[in-house]
Amino acid sequence: MPSAADIKQRIEDAIPGAQVDVEDWTGGGDHFRATVVSPTFIGKSRLEQHRMVYAVFGDEIGGPIHALSLSTKAE
Amino acid sequence: MSETENPLRDAIAEAISENDVILFMKGVPEAPACGFSARATACLQALQVPFASVDVLPDPRIRQELSALSNWPTIPQLFVKGELVGGSDIIMEMYESGELAQTLGVDAPAQAPESAPAGADPAPAPLGIENRLG
């Protein structure tokens, strides 16, 4: 079961310059909410930005991570 | 439709191309089975947009094939005129900013709510429930 800190670390490791905040929404370790701000998002659509974050977790989304709610910002 | 070994994926692609607005969700608009699908439904209903919907729950392959097709891992997924608009986070952001109304070609609600319309007034029933994929 990943923790909010694990999720944050993995996003920061994968997306250059990312400032990440992760909250465990339900306290159950499977519904998370992440805010990700990164300069690598500049010029990308919101759809592409979210895809980049989802890609960090691959099949874990919908598996051990039931939900990862995202808010992304290019900066 | 091209002949492939994957009739389910073809059926999903066909549903997306045949419906201007289609929401793949957990449950049905009258009874969403997940909070994220409920919020996506509420946004569409608040804009009074008729939409088709597909419940992905009856068969896990629907979700697998949909995600393979759309390159999007989560449910719900909203498509407008054949294009993926996004999942519930994007739908809500776009609803709140007025972009969703724009994308759907309707007027934004007269009184823009401060947040997504979780408890919005029930809108007219959607045109039809597409569920031939199950």
Side-chain angles (χ1 to χ4, degrees):
Chain A
M1 202 74 88
S3 69
D6 296 335
I7 304 274
K8 173 178 158 72
Q9 187 65 52
R10 288 177 62 189
I11 297 171
E12 285 174 348
D13 288 349
I15 298 179
Q19 293 177 309
V20 185
D21 280 313
V22 180
E23 187 190 334
D24 184 336
W25 231 357
T26 57
D30 54 7
H31 286 66
F32 296 95
R33 182 180 181 81
T35 306
V36 185
V37 182
S38 170
T40 57
F41 291 151
I42 292 170
K44 295 192 164 63
S45 70
R46 204 157 20 191
L47 206 63
E48 291 170 306
Q49 295 173 8
H50 284 214
R51 274 191 182 124
M52 285 171 70
V53 181
Y54 283 138
V56 175
F57 302 99
D59 288 345
E60 289 169 75
I61 302 285
I65 303 171
H66 286 303
L68 178 59
S69 182
L70 294 177
S71 173
T72 57
K73 200 172 168 192
E75 194 173 285
Chain B
M1 277 295 128
S2 59
E3 292 281 324
T4 69
E5 300 292 314
N6 199 328
L8 180 58
R9 195 178 297 193
D10 287 348
I12 292 169
E14 202 181 316
I16 292 169
S17 69
E18 283 181 355
N19 293 281
D20 274 359
V21 184
I22 182 166
L23 183 70
F24 291 83
M25 63 183 291
K26 294 182 180 175
V28 295
E30 294 75 17
C34 155
F36 298 100
S37 289
R39 268 176 284 171
T41 302
C43 289
L44 292 173
Q45 289 178 340
L47 295 176
Q48 306 200 350
V49 177
F51 62 100
S53 70
V54 175
D55 182 1
V56 304
L57 291 178
D59 186 338
R61 290 175 306 167
I62 301 173
R63 179 178 175 162
Q64 281 167 21
E65 293 301 333
L66 173 65
S67 288
L69 198 70
S70 62
N71 188 23
W72 192 262
T74 55
I75 301 294
Q77 296 185 24
L78 175 67
F79 291 80
V80 175
K81 296 195 190 306
E83 295 286 327
L84 176 65
V85 171
S88 68
D89 297 321
I90 290 179
I91 293 169
M92 289 210 299
E93 272 181 41
M94 290 179 70
Y95 176 81
E96 287 169 14
S97 69
E99 288 167 88
L100 187 61
Q102 215 172 7
T103 300
L104 293 165
V106 298
D107 290 332
Q111 287 184 314
E114 291 195 354
S115 60
D121 290 333
L127 272 189
I129 308 302
E130 287 285 336
N131 203 358
R132 65 193 129 146
L133 304 174

